[in-house]
Amino acid sequence: MSIPTPRQPVRVRIAPSPTGDPHVGTAYIALFNLAFARQHGGQFVLRIEDTDQKRSTAASEQAILRSLAWCGLQWDEGPDIGGPYGPYRQSERAAIYAEHAEQLIENGRAYRCFCTAERLDAMRAAQKAAGEDWRYDGHCRDQDQQQAAARAAAGEACVVRLAMPQSGETAVPDALRGEVRYENFRVDDQILLKSDGLPTYHLANVVDDHLMQITHVIRAEEWLNSTPKHLVLYDAFGWEPPVFVHMPLLRNADRSKISKRKNPTSLEYYQRAGILPEAFLNFLGMLGFSMPDEAEFFDFDAFVAALDFGRISLGGPVFDLDRLQHINGLWIRAMAPDRLAARVAAYFAEDGRSTEVAALVAERIGSLGDWPHHAAPFYGPGVLAGPETRYLLVGCGSKKKKAVRLSAKASRAFFEDLIARLEGLPEFTAEPIEAALREAVSAAGAGVGDGFMAVRVAITGRTAAPGLYETIAAMGRALALVRLRAAAAWLAQPASAQAEIDALERDLQAYRDALGHAAEAEGASA
Ligand code: GLU
């Protein structure tokens, strides 16, 4: 099956909101859009949806552009390079949306709503108490529109709402699902224009997709339920809607929707962890899609040639870090040694943290050649290996007789508690990290030295490393969390943890025996 291409030329877009770290989901959707555009000789547009003024930042927008460019997902039109349908940043298009909202009011498909926050709160509470979903009750829908216009002109605060049809159904034609039907009376009278005069996502998105002549909206499944509102808007404006393709949601290993609690979701993490962008695209291209020959190693051009939306599977694809690592390895091994050497050098040169890492490891290096060994923990995803792993059992590596030794279960609880504390830090710098560490150690009832040792080993794979808080800060939150989660996962395998405990007990016994022998020998010689 191929998806319909009703209008030429094909124009597709991604429309990220710059409200946080650049997300893996954005790159995933961008890949399928760009490949589809290339397959049809069309255009790929990058539009910044920054209508949420409180949460949008310029830094986030910059990071999104940088990360997509790192992936090699280059757009043909966008806020940085312009294009014939600009501006490509919604905050610069406010007048366009206001004008379109006015048009809808005039033709009776939208209305001004003056309900106060108090009234809406009371309505929300009553609906909740009755076990109903939140819906606006239509209070302002039937008022005289001329009077409403006069109230608005006199400066009374209001929003503009979509007048959803109150009966019948809206059928959403989705290229992957066939028709998905929605009962109109269940769909809310969505706010289109807020009281500050700025649009909500729904209005801005539809107006822009139309004005930018987007032919295919390829986006994440989470927007499917918004599509009936969008179709009603297309109809209200008298516009032909684009083809809709809702891609499956990416999932954590436990099949929940991908979240930064369980997976690194920032594209910057993958760049920092030494994933090759080619490998990253290869990996994304296998999420919910498979090549006709089931190949697991392919480049972007091969993906473009093979992309067929009929091969998309809707059972939520799992974002599997081990698989990504495996694909990355394939790419590395396929590279000529001179290219690989150049890429490695570029990776370290571009990382931007060399100065910070140098400041931390300088006191441990005697020659420049020592650098790779000491700097290694700051790069790449994994560090856990070898006999040090046993120190993850908090206190179990301690040679002190009175040390508090936590079980594998309690050690794991300690790591999970620490992960939650670090996730919640507003600033990821040495001081708050130290406080979080100390609190977690004390909550677990462990010794400070032992708790810190467990974390040091989880974070660096070593028992000796530069200052712990500074190291964690320089490593960055995403990488630190990946390592702490790996430690918790290791502790969740009781067999391996128990084997380590047994080995450790044997070592300790041997150590005590040796001490005993030494004491005896000393006694004998005295
Ligand atoms: N601004 C939405 C987002 O952040 C765009 C969704 C869409 O593609 O329509 O994902």
Side-chain angles (χ1 to χ4, degrees):
M1 182 189 84
S2 63
I3 62 175
T5 49
R7 280 179 265 151
Q8 294 295 338
V10 162
R11 288 180 54 84
V12 292
R13 83 321 188 256
I14 49 162
S17 297
T19 53
D21 289 341
H23 200 275
V24 290
T26 304
Y28 175 58
I29 298 298
L31 170 66
F32 283 81
N33 273 286
L34 176 62
F36 185 69
R38 290 292 166 270
Q39 202 175 49
H40 294 274
Q43 304 290 304
F44 170 53
V45 176
L46 170 59
R47 179 171 77 228
I48 294 292
E49 298 206 328
D50 57 349
T51 53
D52 183 342
Q53 290 215 304
K54 280 199 210 87
R55 294 175 58 227
S56 299
T57 66
S60 169
E61 180 186 311
Q62 283 310 312
I64 291 172
L65 268 61
R66 225 179 16 243
S67 286
L68 289 172
W70 170 74
C71 290
L73 295 165
Q74 192 54 53
W75 47 99
D76 302 309
E77 299 166 26
D80 55 336
I81 50 173
Y85 300 90
Y88 293 91
R89 203 178 277 117
Q90 289 186 331
S91 56
E92 294 164 19
R93 302 170 62 85
I96 300 176
Y97 310 124
E99 213 174 278
H100 281 82
E102 201 57 49
Q103 196 179 318
L104 291 179
I105 295 173
E106 271 164 32
N107 67 16
R109 302 297 295 264
Y111 59 94
R112 290 191 177 81
C113 168
F114 297 88
C115 288
T116 59
E118 292 73 35
R119 180 170 188 280
L120 295 173
D121 285 347
M123 191 195 319
R124 200 169 277 126
Q127 289 178 349
K128 200 170 165 198
E132 292 166 10
D133 287 342
W134 154 251
R135 285 186 72 234
Y136 177 63
D137 65 359
H139 180 74
C140 291
R141 190 167 165 144
D142 300 323
Q143 73 192 310
D144 181 90
Q145 283 307 310
Q146 253 168 0
Q147 251 173 26
R151 283 169 76 181
E156 194 174 337
C158 68
V159 301
V160 175
R161 286 186 188 272
L162 174 64
M164 259 315 277
Q166 284 166 315
S167 60
E169 283 187 336
T170 298
V172 174
D174 179 90
L176 305 181
R177 291 167 184 77
E179 244 176 29
V180 187
R181 307 186 84 85
Y182 291 84
E183 288 177 288
N184 289 334
F185 81 93
R186 290 188 196 283
V187 182
D188 194 28
D189 279 2
Q190 178 66 51
I191 296 182
L192 300 176
L193 211 60
K194 298 176 281 187
S195 55
D196 59 7
L198 290 177
T200 57
Y201 155 70
H202 306 275
L203 178 66
N205 188 269
V206 165
V207 167
D208 285 351
D209 282 345
H210 174 74
L211 295 180
M212 295 181 181
Q213 303 204 7
I214 299 302
T215 55
H216 296 73
V217 167
I218 305 170
R219 63 182 168 195
E221 191 176 354
E222 61 188 313
W223 304 104
L224 181 62
N225 290 342
S226 296
T227 313
K229 296 174 188 171
H230 298 180
L231 283 172
V232 167
L233 280 169
Y234 280 101
D235 180 62
F237 284 118
W239 296 337
E240 189 190 334
V243 174
F244 289 103
V245 185
H246 289 94
M247 294 291 289
L249 276 190
L250 303 181
R251 308 210 171 248
N252 298 311
D254 63 7
R255 309 203 70 81
S256 54
K257 173 181 162 186
I258 195 166
S259 65
K260 65 176 172 207
R261 299 217 54 170
K262 298 187 179 156
N263 251 310
T265 52
S266 166
L267 291 170
E268 288 179 339
Y269 164 76
Y270 295 93
Q271 179 174 10
R272 177 171 280 195
I275 299 296
L276 293 166
E278 300 92 323
F280 193 62
L281 290 190
N282 182 164
F283 167 72
L284 292 179
M286 288 193 299
L287 296 175
F289 178 75
S290 58
M291 296 292 271
D293 58 356
E294 301 292 330
E296 66 164 358
F297 180 70
F298 51 87
D299 64 10
F300 177 72
D301 290 342
F303 180 71
V304 170
L307 177 61
D308 167 3
F309 283 90
R311 293 187 64 82
I312 300 279
S313 119
L314 292 175
V318 171
F319 200 91
D320 178 348
L321 293 181
D322 291 338
R323 191 166 197 208
L324 171 58
Q325 195 78 31
H326 164 73
I327 303 288
N328 203 42
L330 297 180
W331 275 88
I332 286 176
R333 286 185 286 286
M335 222 179 262
D338 58 337
R339 274 202 67 209
L340 177 57
R343 294 292 289 265
V344 171
Y347 165 67
F348 285 104
E350 285 160 13
D351 180 69
R353 283 177 309 159
S354 308
T355 319
E356 215 177 337
V357 173
L360 284 168
V361 304
E363 65 177 87
R364 296 175 176 264
I365 62 177
S367 105
L368 295 180
D370 296 340
W371 167 267
H373 174 77
H374 290 285
F378 294 90
Y379 303 91
V383 288
L384 277 183
E388 275 75 23
T389 310
R390 68 182 56 166
Y391 285 94
L392 298 182
L393 289 149
V394 180
C396 291
S398 174
K399 299 217 155 69
K400 285 191 217 123
K401 260 202 145 139
K402 285 204 194 127
V404 181
R405 301 207 162 88
L406 301 191
S407 65
K409 202 170 156 206
S411 301
R412 184 178 168 210
F414 160 71
F415 276 107
E416 278 167 357
D417 175 44
L418 178 63
I419 290 167
R421 288 174 198 275
L422 294 181
E423 275 173 341
L425 291 184
E427 256 190 74
F428 206 72
T429 52
E431 229 172 87
I433 290 171
E434 171 175 7
L437 262 173
R438 288 190 185 277
E439 283 158 20
V441 169
S442 120
V448 173
D450 294 336
F452 281 22
M453 183 57 91
V455 175
R456 182 174 300 113
V457 167
I459 288 288
T460 65
R462 317 221 170 130
T463 53
L468 188 56
Y469 334 124
E470 291 79 8
T471 298
I472 296 176
M475 198 164 274
R477 187 173 343 227
L479 186 50
L481 289 176
V482 164
R483 301 224 174 124
L484 293 171
R485 285 191 199 114
W490 183 82
L491 288 162
Q493 302 171 336
S496 58
Q498 192 55 49
E500 291 296 341
I501 296 177
D502 294 345
L504 189 65
E505 286 299 334
R506 282 196 300 276
D507 281 5
L508 273 176
Q509 200 47 50
Y511 176 75
R512 290 200 194 102
D513 288 350
L515 280 184
H517 288 314
E520 268 169 40
E522 239 169 70
S525 66

